Amino acid sequence: MGRAPCCDKANVKKGPWSPEEDAKLKAYIEANGTGGNWIALPQKIGLKRCGKSCRLRWLNYLRPNIRHGGFSEEEDNIICSLYINIGSRWSIIAAQLPGRTDNDIKNYWNTKLKKKLLGKQRKEQQARRATCLTFKQEMKRETENYPVPGMVNQASHWPLLSPPVMPLPSTHQDPQDSIRNLLVELQSTTNPMNFRYAPDVPFAQYQPYENSMNIIPSASSLSPLNSTCSQVTDGTTTSTQFTVNDVDGPNDVFQGLDGFQAELSELIYSNNQQILDGFEGFYGTGIMVDGSSTGTSSVESSSWGDINSLAYPQIVSGFEACQQQRIPQVSIYDESSYFRPQ
DNA sequence: AACTTACCCAACCGCCGCACG
DNA sequence: GCGTGCGGCGGTTGGGTAAGT
């Protein structure tokens, strides 16, 4: 037997909210809070709306300090990086972008960012393929002009010519590994402010973006890692730090790659230089195709701000430990996070 | 000007996990 | 331990609008 509907579908209004409805909902919540029961709320204030609809309206539109549109380059970077690391966990991503809602980010990703990234990468990939083709043609011509004894096809003599480092075919490496490797490379650059994802090191730390929101992701998003959570205070402010001991190894971080994530991964892997060009804005570093760093990494050139805050895999790892340590779980949308009645 | 297509985004749907009795 | 209700979340839809033909 299916679950009973949360409201009487026949008697609830659907579609866009009117200004009057908005005003009613806003006024009530600002005066009384949600009362911890969204389902009962519309009846209390005389709205013919589903409780879930009220919740969504409040969270995505009416609550204070919501920002719509106008995503900055930095926000783009954060979204992309988080997406690569944790996938479509929009609520977690939203938690790192104060004032943004998961719905907004999801829409922005689906309508603009994804295309922007894919468009750029495909364009560059095509250019690269063209370059590759030219190279092969030159090799072929060279072979014809200077035949190597015993060499019957062009492929067999490539190694002798020490060609430029070309991307490996996708069958040679798990795409998930490629992202991990990328992150390792990024982490291995010398700047201590750089990305601190450390798959071979038993812990990494996470602090919320800009320290503006100490938010623990919902339990449903979390993988069972061996992690701890602690409150850190500098005397004036308190922040939550996650410490992660990834007992199963770094693969956990990359579980669930699919669709565009996999495609991004493939792009990274098959076209390291191009994707890294794209990531330069993210990490403020240049990494050569062979994995070496150009040494251009610098805080100044990075648009990330505190790059330490971007050890995203750890975002999703601290929740259980927090629970164990009885640090109260704060929902991303817990009203106390954004609204405190006077 | 009329029509079609593409795009954007608010809102809905349905599943999942947690809390509670 | 089990069933139920609710909140939370991600995927999807559909209406409005802009751009293109």
Side-chain angles (χ1 to χ4, degrees), chain A residues 123-140:
Chain A
K123 198 174 160 187
E124 289 171 346
Q125 215 168 23
Q126 280 170 359
R128 187 167 185 83
R129 283 201 189 102
T131 307
C132 184
L133 198 64
T134 306
F135 175 76
K136 285 182 180 176
Q137 286 166 345
E138 282 177 11
M139 290 306 103
K140 190 178 178 184

Side-chain angles (χ1 to χ4, degrees), chain A residues 29 34 38 55 58-60 62-66 213 215 330-341:
Chain A
I29 294 177
T34 64
W38 285 106
R55 175 182 164 272
W58 170 254
L59 295 175
N60 289 338
L62 297 176
R63 69 183 163 115
N65 305 320
I66 290 287
M213 297 176 83
I215 288 171
V330 180
S331 163
I332 291 164
Y333 293 130
D334 191 307
E335 64 192 73
S336 63
S337 306
Y338 50 81
F339 175 67
R340 292 183 175 79

Side-chain angles (χ1 to χ4, degrees), chain A residues 262-277:
Chain A
E263 193 164 357
L264 264 185
S265 156
E266 174 71 14
L267 284 166
I268 290 171
Y269 144 77
S270 66
N271 201 350
N272 279 4
Q273 185 61 62
Q274 271 65 33
I275 196 77
L276 288 171
D277 286 346

Side-chain angles (χ1 to χ4, degrees), chain A residues 39-223:
Chain A
I39 302 299
L41 191 140
Q43 282 187 324
K44 286 183 192 169
I45 54 180
L47 280 177
K48 289 192 170 182
R49 290 279 182 177
C50 172
K52 283 188 171 187
S53 181
C54 292
R55 175 182 164 272
L56 215 59
R57 186 63 180 170
W58 170 254
L59 295 175
N60 289 338
Y61 198 80
L62 297 176
R63 69 183 163 115
N65 305 320
I66 290 287
R67 289 184 293 149
H68 291 288
F71 280 82
S72 68
E73 195 72 20
E74 185 178 4
E75 286 175 312
D76 286 0
N77 295 340
I78 291 170
I79 294 166
C80 290
S81 181
L82 278 169
Y83 185 88
I84 290 167
N85 279 297
I86 64 174
S88 57
R89 307 214 180 152
W90 305 116
S91 58
I92 296 174
I93 295 173
Q96 304 309 304
L97 299 171
R100 300 295 187 187
T101 69
D102 56 352
N103 208 36
D104 239 13
I105 292 170
K106 181 171 57 183
N107 282 333
Y108 180 58
W109 172 264
N110 285 329
T111 58
K112 292 178 185 172
L113 213 44
K114 188 159 75 174
K115 290 171 191 168
K116 184 176 156 188
L117 270 180
L118 269 184
K120 185 183 176 188
Q121 296 308 326
R122 282 186 176 139
K123 198 174 160 187
E124 289 171 346
Q125 215 168 23
Q126 280 170 359
R128 187 167 185 83
R129 283 201 189 102
T131 307
C132 184
L133 198 64
T134 306
F135 175 76
K136 285 182 180 176
Q137 286 166 345
E138 282 177 11
M139 290 306 103
K140 190 178 178 184
R141 205 167 51 236
E142 206 172 315
T143 307
E144 287 163 2
N145 292 341
Y146 307 100
V148 179
M151 295 291 182
V152 293
N153 61 45
Q154 71 173 58
S156 59
H157 83 273
W158 273 44
L160 298 176
L161 297 171
S162 187
V165 179
M166 302 302 287
L168 292 169
S170 61
T171 52
H172 290 188
Q173 187 183 10
D174 186 334
Q176 296 182 1
D177 288 340
S178 70
I179 298 182
R180 188 171 64 239
N181 291 341
L182 171 64
L183 296 175
V184 171
E185 286 169 1
L186 291 166
Q187 192 261 331
S188 70
T189 57
T190 55
N191 194 314
M193 292 296 286
N194 225 324
F195 194 88
R196 291 179 66 87
Y197 173 62
D200 299 324
V201 178
F203 77 93
Q205 287 185 318
Y206 159 73
Q207 283 184 287
Y209 174 57
E210 292 183 351
N211 293 325
S212 55
M213 297 176 83
N214 292 333
I215 288 171
I216 300 163
S218 70
S220 61
S221 332
L222 302 170
S223 56

Side-chain angles (χ1 to χ4, degrees), chain A residues 269-298:
Chain A
Y269 144 77
S270 66
N271 201 350
N272 279 4
Q273 185 61 62
Q274 271 65 33
I275 196 77
L276 288 171
D277 286 346
F279 278 136
E280 272 184 306
F282 296 1
Y283 300 101
T285 185
I287 297 178
M288 303 303 285
V289 174
D290 64 2
S292 62
S293 170
T294 59
T296 56
S297 167
S298 70

